Amino acid sequence: MNDIELASVAAIKAILYPDGFHFSKSMGQNFLVNPAIPDRIASTLPDDGAWGVLEVGPGLGALTDRLSRRAARMVAVELDDRLIPHLENNFGERSVSIVKGDVLKVDLASLVSEHLEGLHPACYANLPYYITTPAISALLEAKCFEKIVLMVQKEVARRICSAPATPDYSAFTVYVSYFAARKTLFGVPAGCFFPAPKVDSAVIELDPFSAPAVKVKDEALFFRTVRSSFENRRKTLSNSIAPVAGSREGALAALESAGIDPKRRGETLSLEEFATLSDAISAL
Ligand code: SAM
């Protein structure tokens, strides 16, 4: 690999433009062009030789470059086959395997065991915005990462890291907090990307728990209760969870046995209260 700074417009012009490359909006392609940002993201990975990284959407490799200097091994999953030869050329001499694939379709746990065996597995990504929610769900449900560091739109970061009874608190907040501890690391202005997106971004860290944050009798019912509670924010809980509880009477009985005021609104409930409520519904 030559010494060109990959997090730069100059690298995009020198490496990709001669091939007639154009950025694909439908693949969420906004590449990092401010070197300080991938430096800062990669600094969150311990460089003690004990970590392996799966990167989603390496693009031209701005982040891959930094991460591969700290990780013992890496595997990078990229959907756009126009980028594969450049990635292979740039990182072929480092311990980086390039896999052409769709993060929503590949078997993440198998990739981790195949490429990162014996290491602490981490996932890093500047996520393509069009798959933010399903990609985060796939990463959490793969249950194979000890650390997940992601660039997402600022609004999504706020939603994921919010607390009960705040405007950003949502069913997705509860979903993520069931699987992982959440924190926003720092904000990233739109001008750090090329082409610049319309909105600012933020880097978040999710640290998956070894077991879910709360123990529930029926996980599918727990997630249905959460979704239903947020479906209409103006409805009181006794109305919003009636479809899950089978009837308004069922909802009232479950709320009473869970010790939750039926006049409360879903967005005020903590993760623990959602767990108690869904267990009360399952006992109806
Ligand atoms: N990591 C690079 C950077 O920070 O400069 C590029 C980030 S760009 C926001 C998103 C990258 O994800 C692009 O390279 C895009 O081609 C790739 N991508 C889009 N959809 C994908 C998918 N479903 N699976 C894997 N990669 C995908």
Side-chain angles (χ1 to χ4, degrees), residues 5 56 104 111 115 125 138-139 154 171 174 181 189 196-197 206 219-220 268 270:
E5 168 54 74
V56 178
L104 302 183
L111 280 179
H115 294 276
L139 299 175
K154 197 171 70 183
V174 181
L206 307 176
E219 200 172 79
T268 67
S270 66

Side-chain angles (χ1 to χ4, degrees), residues 27-32 55-63 77-80 83 101-104 126-131 193:
M27 281 195 267
Q29 291 180 336
N30 303 94
F31 291 1
L32 278 165
E55 186 187 357
V56 178
L60 186 54
L63 196 48
V77 182
E78 173 56 60
L79 181 64
D80 187 346
L83 296 167
D102 180 339
V103 66
L104 302 183
N126 170 11
L127 279 180
Y129 69 93
Y130 77 104
I131 50 161
F193 302 89

